[in-house]
mmCIF file of all heavy atoms in Angstrom:
data_model
loop_
_atom_site.group_PDB
_atom_site.id
_atom_site.type_symbol
_atom_site.label_atom_id
_atom_site.label_comp_id
_atom_site.label_asym_id
_atom_site.label_seq_id
_atom_site.Cartn_x
_atom_site.Cartn_y
_atom_site.Cartn_z
ATOM 1 N N SER A 1 0.477 -1.441 5.614
ATOM 2 C CA SER A 1 1.124 -0.622 6.645
ATOM 3 C C SER A 1 1.865 0.542 6.004
ATOM 4 O O SER A 1 1.920 1.642 6.554
ATOM 5 C CB SER A 1 2.081 -1.472 7.484
ATOM 6 O OG SER A 1 3.090 -2.057 6.671
ATOM 7 N N TYR A 2 2.434 0.314 4.809
ATOM 8 C CA TYR A 2 3.108 1.396 4.094
ATOM 9 C C TYR A 2 2.129 2.545 3.829
ATOM 10 O O TYR A 2 2.433 3.710 4.055
ATOM 11 C CB TYR A 2 3.680 0.909 2.753
ATOM 12 C CG TYR A 2 4.892 0.034 2.871
ATOM 13 C CD1 TYR A 2 4.808 -1.335 2.650
ATOM 14 C CD2 TYR A 2 6.127 0.577 3.199
ATOM 15 C CE1 TYR A 2 5.929 -2.149 2.746
ATOM 16 C CE2 TYR A 2 7.255 -0.222 3.293
ATOM 17 C CZ TYR A 2 7.148 -1.587 3.075
ATOM 18 O OH TYR A 2 8.256 -2.376 3.175
ATOM 19 N N ASP A 3 0.941 2.185 3.325
ATOM 20 C CA ASP A 3 -0.063 3.208 3.011
ATOM 21 C C ASP A 3 -0.543 3.911 4.271
ATOM 22 O O ASP A 3 -0.733 5.127 4.278
ATOM 23 C CB ASP A 3 -1.260 2.579 2.289
ATOM 24 C CG ASP A 3 -0.907 2.081 0.892
ATOM 25 O OD1 ASP A 3 0.188 2.416 0.407
ATOM 26 O OD2 ASP A 3 -1.719 1.356 0.303
ATOM 27 N N GLY A 4 -0.750 3.140 5.342
ATOM 28 C CA GLY A 4 -1.205 3.732 6.603
ATOM 29 C C GLY A 4 -0.203 4.729 7.137
ATOM 30 O O GLY A 4 -0.568 5.833 7.563
ATOM 31 N N ILE A 5 1.069 4.357 7.100
ATOM 32 C CA ILE A 5 2.124 5.252 7.589
ATOM 33 C C ILE A 5 2.271 6.460 6.673
ATOM 34 O O ILE A 5 2.396 7.594 7.135
ATOM 35 C CB ILE A 5 3.460 4.486 7.727
ATOM 36 C CG1 ILE A 5 3.360 3.490 8.895
ATOM 37 C CG2 ILE A 5 4.621 5.452 7.944
ATOM 38 C CD1 ILE A 5 4.523 2.523 8.996
ATOM 39 N N PHE A 6 2.234 6.232 5.354
ATOM 40 C CA PHE A 6 2.351 7.364 4.432
ATOM 41 C C PHE A 6 1.216 8.369 4.635
ATOM 42 O O PHE A 6 1.433 9.581 4.677
ATOM 43 C CB PHE A 6 2.371 6.914 2.969
ATOM 44 C CG PHE A 6 2.363 8.078 2.021
ATOM 45 C CD1 PHE A 6 3.513 8.813 1.798
ATOM 46 C CD2 PHE A 6 1.195 8.479 1.383
ATOM 47 C CE1 PHE A 6 3.511 9.918 0.958
ATOM 48 C CE2 PHE A 6 1.175 9.585 0.544
ATOM 49 C CZ PHE A 6 2.346 10.301 0.327
ATOM 50 N N ASN A 7 -0.001 7.885 4.760
ATOM 51 C CA ASN A 7 -1.148 8.784 4.936
ATOM 52 C C ASN A 7 -1.041 9.580 6.231
ATOM 53 O O ASN A 7 -1.391 10.766 6.278
ATOM 54 C CB ASN A 7 -2.455 7.999 4.883
ATOM 55 C CG ASN A 7 -2.763 7.511 3.477
ATOM 56 O OD1 ASN A 7 -2.414 8.153 2.488
ATOM 57 N ND2 ASN A 7 -3.410 6.354 3.365
ATOM 58 N N ALA A 8 -0.535 8.938 7.294
ATOM 59 C CA ALA A 8 -0.329 9.650 8.561
ATOM 60 C C ALA A 8 0.773 10.693 8.401
ATOM 61 O O ALA A 8 0.649 11.827 8.891
ATOM 62 C CB ALA A 8 0.016 8.660 9.666
ATOM 63 N N GLN A 9 1.854 10.335 7.693
ATOM 64 C CA GLN A 9 2.936 11.296 7.453
ATOM 65 C C GLN A 9 2.439 12.482 6.636
ATOM 66 O O GLN A 9 2.820 13.636 6.902
ATOM 67 C CB GLN A 9 4.084 10.606 6.707
ATOM 68 C CG GLN A 9 4.859 9.646 7.567
ATOM 69 C CD GLN A 9 6.041 9.028 6.856
ATOM 70 O OE1 GLN A 9 6.969 8.565 7.509
ATOM 71 N NE2 GLN A 9 6.039 8.998 5.545
ATOM 72 N N LYS A 10 1.596 12.214 5.677
ATOM 73 C CA LYS A 10 1.038 13.281 4.846
ATOM 74 C C LYS A 10 0.251 14.267 5.705
ATOM 75 O O LYS A 10 0.392 15.488 5.559
ATOM 76 C CB LYS A 10 0.134 12.669 3.770
ATOM 77 C CG LYS A 10 -0.433 13.667 2.789
ATOM 78 C CD LYS A 10 -1.218 12.948 1.691
ATOM 79 C CE LYS A 10 -1.789 13.926 0.690
ATOM 80 N NZ LYS A 10 -2.506 13.234 -0.404
ATOM 81 N N GLU A 11 -0.556 13.742 6.619
ATOM 82 C CA GLU A 11 -1.323 14.612 7.531
ATOM 83 C C GLU A 11 -0.393 15.473 8.367
ATOM 84 O O GLU A 11 -0.626 16.668 8.554
ATOM 85 C CB GLU A 11 -2.194 13.766 8.465
ATOM 86 C CG GLU A 11 -3.473 13.249 7.855
ATOM 87 C CD GLU A 11 -4.330 12.556 8.897
ATOM 88 O OE1 GLU A 11 -4.625 13.189 9.935
ATOM 89 O OE2 GLU A 11 -4.687 11.386 8.683
ATOM 90 N N VAL A 12 0.675 14.849 8.876
ATOM 91 C CA VAL A 12 1.631 15.577 9.722
ATOM 92 C C VAL A 12 2.322 16.676 8.917
ATOM 93 O O VAL A 12 2.458 17.806 9.384
ATOM 94 C CB VAL A 12 2.662 14.619 10.345
ATOM 95 C CG1 VAL A 12 3.756 15.396 11.065
ATOM 96 C CG2 VAL A 12 1.978 13.657 11.323
ATOM 97 N N VAL A 13 2.759 16.357 7.701
ATOM 98 C CA VAL A 13 3.420 17.354 6.841
ATOM 99 C C VAL A 13 2.517 18.574 6.643
ATOM 100 O O VAL A 13 2.946 19.726 6.780
ATOM 101 C CB VAL A 13 3.803 16.745 5.471
ATOM 102 C CG1 VAL A 13 4.168 17.833 4.470
ATOM 103 C CG2 VAL A 13 4.957 15.764 5.629
ATOM 104 N N LEU A 14 1.251 18.335 6.316
ATOM 105 C CA LEU A 14 0.322 19.429 6.052
ATOM 106 C C LEU A 14 0.021 20.231 7.327
ATOM 107 O O LEU A 14 -0.105 21.461 7.276
ATOM 108 C CB LEU A 14 -0.969 18.882 5.433
ATOM 109 C CG LEU A 14 -0.794 18.280 4.030
ATOM 110 C CD1 LEU A 14 -2.057 17.582 3.576
ATOM 111 C CD2 LEU A 14 -0.370 19.348 3.018
ATOM 112 N N GLU A 15 -0.048 19.554 8.463
ATOM 113 C CA GLU A 15 -0.293 20.255 9.732
ATOM 114 C C GLU A 15 0.897 21.131 10.099
ATOM 115 O O GLU A 15 0.723 22.263 10.556
ATOM 116 C CB GLU A 15 -0.554 19.248 10.856
ATOM 117 C CG GLU A 15 -1.951 18.651 10.808
ATOM 118 C CD GLU A 15 -2.183 17.652 11.935
ATOM 119 O OE1 GLU A 15 -1.365 17.596 12.885
ATOM 120 O OE2 GLU A 15 -3.194 16.916 11.860
ATOM 121 N N LEU A 16 2.105 20.616 9.916
ATOM 122 C CA LEU A 16 3.303 21.393 10.228
ATOM 123 C C LEU A 16 3.406 22.608 9.316
ATOM 124 O O LEU A 16 3.802 23.688 9.755
ATOM 125 C CB LEU A 16 4.553 20.515 10.095
ATOM 126 C CG LEU A 16 4.689 19.379 11.102
ATOM 127 C CD1 LEU A 16 5.921 18.534 10.789
ATOM 128 C CD2 LEU A 16 4.758 19.912 12.525
ATOM 129 N N ALA A 17 3.041 22.438 8.059
ATOM 130 C CA ALA A 17 3.084 23.547 7.100
ATOM 131 C C ALA A 17 2.119 24.657 7.510
ATOM 132 O O ALA A 17 2.400 25.842 7.302
ATOM 133 C CB ALA A 17 2.758 23.050 5.706
ATOM 134 N N GLU A 18 0.997 24.288 8.091
ATOM 135 C CA GLU A 18 0.012 25.287 8.532
ATOM 136 C C GLU A 18 0.534 26.123 9.691
ATOM 137 O O GLU A 18 0.150 27.274 9.870
ATOM 138 C CB GLU A 18 -1.288 24.597 8.964
ATOM 139 C CG GLU A 18 -2.161 24.153 7.810
ATOM 140 C CD GLU A 18 -3.460 23.519 8.288
ATOM 141 O OE1 GLU A 18 -3.785 23.654 9.481
ATOM 142 O OE2 GLU A 18 -4.128 22.889 7.462
ATOM 143 N N LYS A 19 1.427 25.546 10.487
ATOM 144 C CA LYS A 19 1.951 26.246 11.673
ATOM 145 C C LYS A 19 2.904 27.380 11.300
ATOM 146 O O LYS A 19 3.122 28.285 12.096
ATOM 147 C CB LYS A 19 2.672 25.267 12.593
ATOM 148 C CG LYS A 19 1.737 24.284 13.275
ATOM 149 C CD LYS A 19 2.541 23.378 14.201
ATOM 150 C CE LYS A 19 1.630 22.406 14.920
ATOM 151 N NZ LYS A 19 2.397 21.521 15.828
ATOM 152 N N GLY A 20 3.515 27.293 10.115
ATOM 153 C CA GLY A 20 4.438 28.352 9.708
ATOM 154 C C GLY A 20 5.763 27.802 9.230
ATOM 155 O O GLY A 20 5.891 26.599 8.956
ATOM 156 N N PRO A 21 6.772 28.662 9.124
ATOM 157 C CA PRO A 21 8.073 28.259 8.583
ATOM 158 C C PRO A 21 8.670 27.076 9.333
ATOM 159 O O PRO A 21 8.673 27.048 10.567
ATOM 160 C CB PRO A 21 8.938 29.503 8.771
ATOM 161 C CG PRO A 21 7.973 30.634 8.867
ATOM 162 C CD PRO A 21 6.756 30.080 9.528
ATOM 163 N N CYS A 22 9.158 26.101 8.583
ATOM 164 C CA CYS A 22 9.815 24.946 9.189
ATOM 165 C C CYS A 22 10.620 24.220 8.128
ATOM 166 O O CYS A 22 10.545 24.551 6.944
ATOM 167 C CB CYS A 22 8.795 24.007 9.832
ATOM 168 S SG CYS A 22 7.644 23.236 8.663
ATOM 169 N N ILE A 23 11.385 23.237 8.572
ATOM 170 C CA ILE A 23 12.188 22.415 7.670
ATOM 171 C C ILE A 23 11.777 20.967 7.864
ATOM 172 O O ILE A 23 11.735 20.476 9.004
ATOM 173 C CB ILE A 23 13.694 22.580 7.963
ATOM 174 C CG1 ILE A 23 14.108 24.051 7.758
ATOM 175 C CG2 ILE A 23 14.531 21.655 7.072
ATOM 176 C CD1 ILE A 23 15.464 24.387 8.354
ATOM 177 N N ILE A 24 11.456 20.285 6.773
ATOM 178 C CA ILE A 24 11.069 18.882 6.829
ATOM 179 C C ILE A 24 11.995 18.097 5.916
ATOM 180 O O ILE A 24 12.155 18.432 4.739
ATOM 181 C CB ILE A 24 9.607 18.675 6.396
ATOM 182 C CG1 ILE A 24 8.658 19.510 7.263
ATOM 183 C CG2 ILE A 24 9.236 17.190 6.467
ATOM 184 C CD1 ILE A 24 7.210 19.489 6.800
ATOM 185 N N VAL A 25 12.609 17.062 6.475
ATOM 186 C CA VAL A 25 13.527 16.226 5.701
ATOM 187 C C VAL A 25 12.803 14.975 5.213
ATOM 188 O O VAL A 25 12.178 14.260 6.004
ATOM 189 C CB VAL A 25 14.751 15.830 6.542
ATOM 190 C CG1 VAL A 25 15.643 14.852 5.776
ATOM 191 C CG2 VAL A 25 15.548 17.059 6.937
ATOM 192 N N GLY A 26 12.883 14.716 3.920
ATOM 193 C CA GLY A 26 12.337 13.497 3.340
ATOM 194 C C GLY A 26 10.825 13.388 3.436
ATOM 195 O O GLY A 26 10.101 14.376 3.325
ATOM 196 N N ARG A 27 10.334 12.153 3.590
ATOM 197 C CA ARG A 27 8.904 11.851 3.772
ATOM 198 C C ARG A 27 8.039 12.261 2.587
ATOM 199 O O ARG A 27 6.835 12.457 2.735
ATOM 200 C CB ARG A 27 8.364 12.509 5.038
ATOM 201 C CG ARG A 27 9.262 12.401 6.247
ATOM 202 C CD ARG A 27 9.346 10.998 6.770
ATOM 203 N NE ARG A 27 10.286 10.889 7.875
ATOM 204 C CZ ARG A 27 10.535 9.781 8.542
ATOM 205 N NH1 ARG A 27 9.929 8.673 8.211
ATOM 206 N NH2 ARG A 27 11.413 9.762 9.519
ATOM 207 N N CYS A 28 8.632 12.456 1.424
ATOM 208 C CA CYS A 28 7.901 12.915 0.227
ATOM 209 C C CYS A 28 7.242 14.278 0.462
ATOM 210 O O CYS A 28 6.292 14.648 -0.236
ATOM 211 C CB CYS A 28 6.835 11.905 -0.203
ATOM 212 S SG CYS A 28 7.457 10.262 -0.598
ATOM 213 N N ALA A 29 7.741 15.020 1.446
ATOM 214 C CA ALA A 29 7.131 16.309 1.805
ATOM 215 C C ALA A 29 7.142 17.284 0.646
ATOM 216 O O ALA A 29 6.211 18.086 0.482
ATOM 217 C CB ALA A 29 7.844 16.911 3.011
ATOM 218 N N ASP A 30 8.191 17.244 -0.183
ATOM 219 C CA ASP A 30 8.271 18.147 -1.328
ATOM 220 C C ASP A 30 7.065 17.972 -2.243
ATOM 221 O O ASP A 30 6.422 18.943 -2.654
ATOM 222 C CB ASP A 30 9.583 17.926 -2.101
ATOM 223 C CG ASP A 30 9.776 16.472 -2.539
ATOM 224 O OD1 ASP A 30 9.532 15.567 -1.716
ATOM 225 O OD2 ASP A 30 10.159 16.240 -3.702
ATOM 226 N N ASP A 31 6.723 16.714 -2.531
ATOM 227 C CA ASP A 31 5.606 16.431 -3.431
ATOM 228 C C ASP A 31 4.259 16.663 -2.748
ATOM 229 O O ASP A 31 3.334 17.198 -3.359
ATOM 230 C CB ASP A 31 5.703 14.981 -3.923
ATOM 231 C CG ASP A 31 4.741 14.711 -5.069
ATOM 232 O OD1 ASP A 31 4.987 15.221 -6.179
ATOM 233 O OD2 ASP A 31 3.748 14.006 -4.849
ATOM 234 N N ILE A 32 4.151 16.273 -1.486
ATOM 235 C CA ILE A 32 2.903 16.456 -0.733
ATOM 236 C C ILE A 32 2.503 17.933 -0.708
ATOM 237 O O ILE A 32 1.349 18.286 -0.969
ATOM 238 C CB ILE A 32 3.057 15.921 0.713
ATOM 239 C CG1 ILE A 32 3.130 14.390 0.713
ATOM 240 C CG2 ILE A 32 1.908 16.399 1.607
ATOM 241 C CD1 ILE A 32 3.579 13.788 2.033
ATOM 242 N N LEU A 33 3.458 18.803 -0.417
ATOM 243 C CA LEU A 33 3.159 20.233 -0.315
ATOM 244 C C LEU A 33 2.894 20.859 -1.682
ATOM 245 O O LEU A 33 2.033 21.729 -1.819
ATOM 246 C CB LEU A 33 4.300 20.953 0.404
ATOM 247 C CG LEU A 33 4.475 20.543 1.876
ATOM 248 C CD1 LEU A 33 5.752 21.116 2.450
ATOM 249 C CD2 LEU A 33 3.275 20.997 2.706
ATOM 250 N N THR A 34 3.620 20.403 -2.692
ATOM 251 C CA THR A 34 3.380 20.901 -4.053
ATOM 252 C C THR A 34 1.967 20.545 -4.501
ATOM 253 O O THR A 34 1.241 21.382 -5.043
ATOM 254 C CB THR A 34 4.410 20.312 -5.038
ATOM 255 O OG1 THR A 34 5.724 20.715 -4.633
ATOM 256 C CG2 THR A 34 4.150 20.802 -6.453
ATOM 257 N N GLU A 35 1.566 19.290 -4.259
ATOM 258 C CA GLU A 35 0.228 18.833 -4.643
ATOM 259 C C GLU A 35 -0.865 19.590 -3.884
ATOM 260 O O GLU A 35 -1.956 19.801 -4.410
ATOM 261 C CB GLU A 35 0.086 17.328 -4.377
ATOM 262 C CG GLU A 35 0.880 16.449 -5.337
ATOM 263 C CD GLU A 35 0.419 16.579 -6.776
ATOM 264 O OE1 GLU A 35 -0.789 16.464 -7.036
ATOM 265 O OE2 GLU A 35 1.276 16.822 -7.652
ATOM 266 N N ALA A 36 -0.558 19.990 -2.647
ATOM 267 C CA ALA A 36 -1.534 20.721 -1.831
ATOM 268 C C ALA A 36 -1.491 22.227 -2.104
ATOM 269 O O ALA A 36 -2.202 22.999 -1.467
ATOM 270 C CB ALA A 36 -1.282 20.460 -0.352
ATOM 271 N N ASP A 37 -0.642 22.640 -3.047
ATOM 272 C CA ASP A 37 -0.502 24.043 -3.427
ATOM 273 C C ASP A 37 -0.042 24.907 -2.253
ATOM 274 O O ASP A 37 -0.463 26.047 -2.084
ATOM 275 C CB ASP A 37 -1.827 24.576 -3.992
ATOM 276 C CG ASP A 37 -1.605 25.781 -4.908
ATOM 277 O OD1 ASP A 37 -0.492 25.890 -5.468
ATOM 278 O OD2 ASP A 37 -2.529 26.609 -5.036
ATOM 279 N N VAL A 38 0.848 24.351 -1.430
ATOM 280 C CA VAL A 38 1.431 25.082 -0.307
ATOM 281 C C VAL A 38 2.778 25.646 -0.766
ATOM 282 O O VAL A 38 3.584 24.909 -1.340
ATOM 283 C CB VAL A 38 1.647 24.139 0.905
ATOM 284 C CG1 VAL A 38 2.366 24.869 2.034
ATOM 285 C CG2 VAL A 38 0.313 23.581 1.390
ATOM 286 N N PRO A 39 3.049 26.929 -0.534
ATOM 287 C CA PRO A 39 4.347 27.487 -0.926
ATOM 288 C C PRO A 39 5.488 26.720 -0.247
ATOM 289 O O PRO A 39 5.502 26.553 0.968
ATOM 290 C CB PRO A 39 4.280 28.933 -0.417
ATOM 291 C CG PRO A 39 2.823 29.236 -0.363
ATOM 292 C CD PRO A 39 2.164 27.949 0.046
ATOM 293 N N VAL A 40 6.416 26.231 -1.053
ATOM 294 C CA VAL A 40 7.491 25.399 -0.529
ATOM 295 C C VAL A 40 8.760 25.626 -1.336
ATOM 296 O O VAL A 40 8.703 25.886 -2.544
ATOM 297 C CB VAL A 40 7.073 23.907 -0.561
ATOM 298 C CG1 VAL A 40 6.710 23.465 -1.977
ATOM 299 C CG2 VAL A 40 8.152 23.000 0.017
ATOM 300 N N PHE A 41 9.894 25.576 -0.658
ATOM 301 C CA PHE A 41 11.186 25.654 -1.343
ATOM 302 C C PHE A 41 11.826 24.280 -1.201
ATOM 303 O O PHE A 41 12.078 23.807 -0.095
ATOM 304 C CB PHE A 41 12.082 26.728 -0.732
ATOM 305 C CG PHE A 41 13.313 26.992 -1.549
ATOM 306 C CD1 PHE A 41 13.277 27.910 -2.585
ATOM 307 C CD2 PHE A 41 14.497 26.310 -1.296
ATOM 308 C CE1 PHE A 41 14.414 28.154 -3.357
ATOM 309 C CE2 PHE A 41 15.633 26.538 -2.065
ATOM 310 C CZ PHE A 41 15.592 27.467 -3.095
ATOM 311 N N LYS A 42 12.103 23.649 -2.351
ATOM 312 C CA LYS A 42 12.521 22.251 -2.362
ATOM 313 C C LYS A 42 14.015 22.103 -2.664
ATOM 314 O O LYS A 42 14.488 22.522 -3.712
ATOM 315 C CB LYS A 42 11.684 21.474 -3.388
ATOM 316 C CG LYS A 42 10.190 21.496 -3.056
ATOM 317 C CD LYS A 42 9.332 20.876 -4.137
ATOM 318 C CE LYS A 42 9.208 21.803 -5.328
ATOM 319 N NZ LYS A 42 8.254 21.316 -6.339
ATOM 320 N N VAL A 43 14.714 21.493 -1.713
ATOM 321 C CA VAL A 43 16.164 21.294 -1.802
ATOM 322 C C VAL A 43 16.454 19.810 -2.007
ATOM 323 O O VAL A 43 15.808 18.957 -1.397
ATOM 324 C CB VAL A 43 16.849 21.764 -0.494
ATOM 325 C CG1 VAL A 43 18.356 21.530 -0.553
ATOM 326 C CG2 VAL A 43 16.526 23.237 -0.204
ATOM 327 N N PHE A 44 17.434 19.502 -2.859
ATOM 328 C CA PHE A 44 17.910 18.127 -2.981
ATOM 329 C C PHE A 44 19.408 18.107 -2.717
ATOM 330 O O PHE A 44 20.161 18.904 -3.287
ATOM 331 C CB PHE A 44 17.629 17.543 -4.372
ATOM 332 C CG PHE A 44 18.012 16.093 -4.469
ATOM 333 C CD1 PHE A 44 17.183 15.116 -3.931
ATOM 334 C CD2 PHE A 44 19.207 15.704 -5.064
ATOM 335 C CE1 PHE A 44 17.540 13.769 -3.993
ATOM 336 C CE2 PHE A 44 19.569 14.360 -5.130
ATOM 337 C CZ PHE A 44 18.730 13.391 -4.592
ATOM 338 N N LEU A 45 19.846 17.204 -1.835
ATOM 339 C CA LEU A 45 21.261 17.077 -1.490
ATOM 340 C C LEU A 45 21.799 15.737 -1.980
ATOM 341 O O LEU A 45 21.140 14.704 -1.838
ATOM 342 C CB LEU A 45 21.442 17.161 0.033
ATOM 343 C CG LEU A 45 20.913 18.425 0.719
ATOM 344 C CD1 LEU A 45 21.109 18.322 2.225
ATOM 345 C CD2 LEU A 45 21.594 19.674 0.168
#
């Protein structure tokens, strides 16, 4: 279930990135977008 949820989250992250500027909290989005070569600004708090 972890893998199923992660893979679905990955799809959502990439779809949201295609739509344009947005902010995504957590979900390994920083790494997902970096691996997909999507321009991203990564913040850690």
Side-chain angles (χ1 to χ4, degrees):
S1 59
Y2 287 106
D3 292 348
I5 290 171
F6 175 77
N7 289 328
Q9 288 183 158
K10 184 175 180 178
E11 281 186 55
V12 172
V13 166
L14 294 172
E15 283 180 13
L16 293 176
E18 282 182 13
K19 291 182 179 180
C22 64
I23 299 165
I24 303 173
V25 175
R27 317 291 176 178
C28 301
D30 55 316
D31 191 71
I32 289 167
L33 295 171
T34 299
E35 288 297 309
D37 204 25
V38 175
V40 58
F41 190 87
K42 299 173 285 187
V43 178
F44 185 78
L45 303 177

